[in-house]
Amino acid sequence: MGRSTCCEKVGLKRGRWTAEEDEILANYIHANGEGSWRSLPKNAGLLRCGKSCRLRWINYLRADLKRGNITAQEEETIVKLHSALGNRWSLIAAQLPGRTDNEIKNYWNSHLSRKIYSFTKIIKDTKPSNIGAVTTAGEGKRRGGRTSRSAMKRHKLALMSLGIPKTVTPNEVFDPAAQENSPGGQVRDSKDMTNMQPEDNDDPDSAVLEGRRNLGMHGSCMHSSARPAGNYDERQSTGIALSSGKESSSVAVEMYGCSERETEEVLGPYEWLDNEIKRLRSILQSEGVHPSGNHAGSITTNGENEVRVIITEQDRDVNGIQKGAKNDDQEIESYGIWSSSNAEMTDGEWQIRNSSSPGNSVFDDHEWVDWENFGGGFQYYDDDQFPLWDDSGKVLCWLLDGDNADEAGDAPN
DNA sequence: AATTGCTTCAACCGCGATTCT
DNA sequence: AAGAATCGCGGTTGAAGCAAT
């Protein structure tokens, strides 16, 4: 069927709205309510298309919009939600009263993504050598000290011209294209998450694994999922992918020996992400050795810009749970993607939490989905530190919408 | 003071999803 | 049931303004 444009382009005004237009639109909506956007401009006497009116109202004129800068708390919320949901701005915005999806999208693109992108650029540009050659970041003479959109674009084009797959950006964590190339794939919508079944797979854990992957089973600020399929066997190793600002730069420096030039675009402190990276660095410093001594650790990449900590589990999994019959000397399959969030230091002892363990969190300190019950219904864990995950434990279930979400609780409203 | 490069964000665009007829 | 209309979302663009040179 042919798609008609939302309105005739001829004769309609475009560009910035004037105060007078705003007033007309606001008055009309106050009198007649929202909706019927197609007929609204005609009825209101505006030379705008309905789409433009709707956008103007939603993003600017609504009375319940919050003005002013994004707060630190909001920023953290955005980062965490983006880590889990990808570029689903409307879902993210729904958790930030008074903020619009457009605003959050802009904020992400202009503030947050660059911080992460800068680090991935370092990884991309740096050879895995000279580990230990530590330099400080941000010493380059550069205005602003940020990675601009244009610079990112140039970088992307340069990589493309060289036939190099461009560095994964945060937005691509849930990139459907990347998903198709990813071993486990990425979630496209909530139905994908809620309808996952273990069919077509003999491995009873596969559905769970799939679910973890699809839900962005990487810690906050991770981007481990967007790699192309390769000979890297995720099931035989666990991986950590890094990104962030200053602290992550130091990780990069320590791991790969970035030069000053290579770190020049690294950003300033961003505490929350930095803490993630700090913990990761500690993991690296421990060489991935589990307290049990059963793990041999190494740092590697899969050749696709991704930093991984490879930990071979030789006897049992990190939770001490035997994972099927095998010889004593057989390397156990450890699936899933590790993040800095599923390993932490507690009371001076490393607690490396395998994602296969029930109740282990995706994000540090925040219990999410009980993955073992993923197929038949969710169980969620309380999180009293993150108000998004409300007191009754209605974690992301209602964000997923769909039928399964109802099993875990009603969406707050 | 002029130029250049960059950041920000409002607005536009295309398309899939949903609702209407 | 099918096509049309509309809504809503996410990606992208471009103008305005700022900062460095």
Side-chain angles (χ1 to χ4, degrees):
Chain A
M1 62 183 163
R3 178 180 298 277
S4 61
T5 56
C6 72
C7 50
E8 286 97 352
K9 307 292 182 186
V10 182
L12 292 182
K13 191 177 175 185
R14 299 179 60 189
R16 304 251 160 177
W17 281 64
T18 65
E20 185 180 356
E21 288 176 311
D22 283 344
E23 187 178 356
I24 293 172
L25 178 60
N27 288 340
Y28 181 86
I29 292 178
H30 285 143
N32 302 282
E34 295 183 44
S36 303
W37 296 109
R38 185 181 173 87
S39 59
L40 184 149
K42 185 179 178 181
N43 295 336
L46 287 166
L47 289 175
R48 296 277 183 172
C49 75
K51 210 170 185 175
S52 181
C53 292
R54 173 184 166 272
L55 208 62
R56 184 63 178 173
W57 172 256
I58 289 175
N59 288 333
Y60 195 80
L61 295 176
R62 266 166 45 202
D64 59 340
L65 292 180
K66 186 188 289 184
R67 298 295 174 191
N69 295 333
I70 301 282
T71 66
Q73 185 176 7
E74 287 175 319
E75 181 173 302
E76 181 172 336
T77 298
I78 292 169
V79 173
K80 292 198 174 199
L81 284 172
H82 187 273
S83 174
L85 300 171
N87 296 356
R88 304 182 71 183
W89 307 116
S90 60
L91 280 180
I92 297 172
Q95 304 315 305
L96 295 164
R99 302 295 185 185
T100 68
D101 54 355
N102 204 42
E103 184 178 15
I104 291 168
K105 178 171 60 181
N106 282 333
Y107 188 76
W108 177 271
N109 288 333
S110 63
H111 290 83
L112 300 178
S113 69
R114 279 204 311 270
K115 295 183 178 183
I116 298 173
Y117 175 88
S118 294
F119 179 75
T120 62
K121 179 181 184 297
I122 290 167
I123 297 299
K124 174 72 185 179
D125 293 346
T126 308
K127 300 291 185 288
S129 59
N130 299 326
I131 293 176
V134 179
T135 61
T136 56
E139 293 183 18
K141 190 177 182 180
R142 187 180 184 279
R143 253 190 323 202
R146 294 180 174 181
T147 305
S148 68
R149 189 178 60 185
S150 57
M152 290 163 68
K153 191 174 182 177
R154 282 197 303 271
H155 176 65
K156 173 184 174 179
L157 291 173
L159 290 176
M160 289 173 64
S161 68
L162 293 172
I164 301 171
K166 71 181 176 68
T167 306
V168 175
T169 64
N171 283 358
E172 290 168 317
V173 169
F174 283 79
D175 181 2
Q179 172 187 359
E180 290 172 10
N181 290 329
S182 174
Q186 282 292 315
V187 63
R188 291 183 70 113
D189 57 40
S190 56
K191 292 188 179 68
D192 289 340
M193 291 187 276
T194 56
N195 294 334
M196 285 179 296
Q197 300 294 331
E199 60 189 6
D200 299 326
N201 197 326
D202 296 333
D203 184 347
D205 288 335
S206 294
V208 176
L209 168 59
E210 184 78 2
R212 289 175 183 140
R213 285 168 172 160
N214 282 350
L215 257 186
M217 203 57 180
H218 40 71
S220 316
C221 70
M222 299 305 168
H223 59 90
S224 52
S225 307
R227 66 195 169 278
N231 55 10
Y232 184 91
D233 188 351
E234 191 171 276
R235 292 180 55 88
Q236 293 185 357
S237 63
T238 53
I240 296 175
L242 312 175
S243 57
S244 181
K246 179 182 178 181
E247 190 65 31
S248 55
S249 76
S250 64
V251 173
V253 167
E254 289 179 19
M255 292 175 66
Y256 283 148
C258 302
S259 68
E260 292 180 21
R261 177 73 183 89
E262 289 164 332
T263 58
E264 70 179 12
E265 290 194 348
V266 172
L267 303 157
Y270 182 41
E271 285 187 16
W272 182 79
L273 289 171
D274 289 349
N275 288 337
E276 296 281 305
I277 302 303
K278 279 179 182 175
R279 299 195 320 172
L280 173 58
R281 180 169 56 179
S282 297
I283 296 168
L284 300 181
Q285 287 171 346
S286 76
E287 297 179 359
V289 179
H290 187 263
S292 68
N294 289 334
H295 296 77
S298 64
I299 302 170
T300 185
T301 73
N302 65 348
E304 295 293 338
N305 321 328
E306 190 161 297
V307 185
R308 287 173 176 272
V309 174
I310 308 301
I311 300 176
T312 303
E313 303 174 48
Q314 296 175 337
D315 190 4
R316 51 188 193 145
D317 75 2
V318 292
N319 294 295
I321 300 171
Q322 196 75 28
K323 298 169 68 177
K326 57 178 174 50
N327 298 329
D328 287 345
D329 57 353
Q330 179 183 355
E331 290 188 358
I332 196 167
E333 289 184 346
S334 174
Y335 53 75
I337 301 169
W338 277 31
S339 74
S340 61
S341 301
N342 58 15
E344 64 184 18
M345 194 167 217
T346 306
D347 298 330
E349 183 174 339
W350 280 109
Q351 304 292 329
I352 303 177
R353 296 173 293 156
N354 190 294
S355 56
S356 64
S357 173
N360 280 346
S361 62
V362 177
F363 300 126
D364 55 311
D365 303 325
H366 306 301
E367 301 296 350
W368 284 44
V369 178
D370 181 348
W371 297 104
E372 299 302 333
N373 295 311
F374 191 87
F378 296 114
Q379 287 186 13
Y380 299 96
Y381 298 86
D382 287 347
D383 180 359
D384 55 3
Q385 298 183 28
F386 197 32
L388 286 170
W389 328 129
D390 67 15
D391 294 337
S392 59
K394 299 164 188 166
V395 197
L396 280 177
C397 50
W398 56 270
L399 287 174
L400 307 183
D401 65 44
D403 297 333
N404 285 354
D406 295 336
E407 299 174 20
D410 296 328
N413 242 333

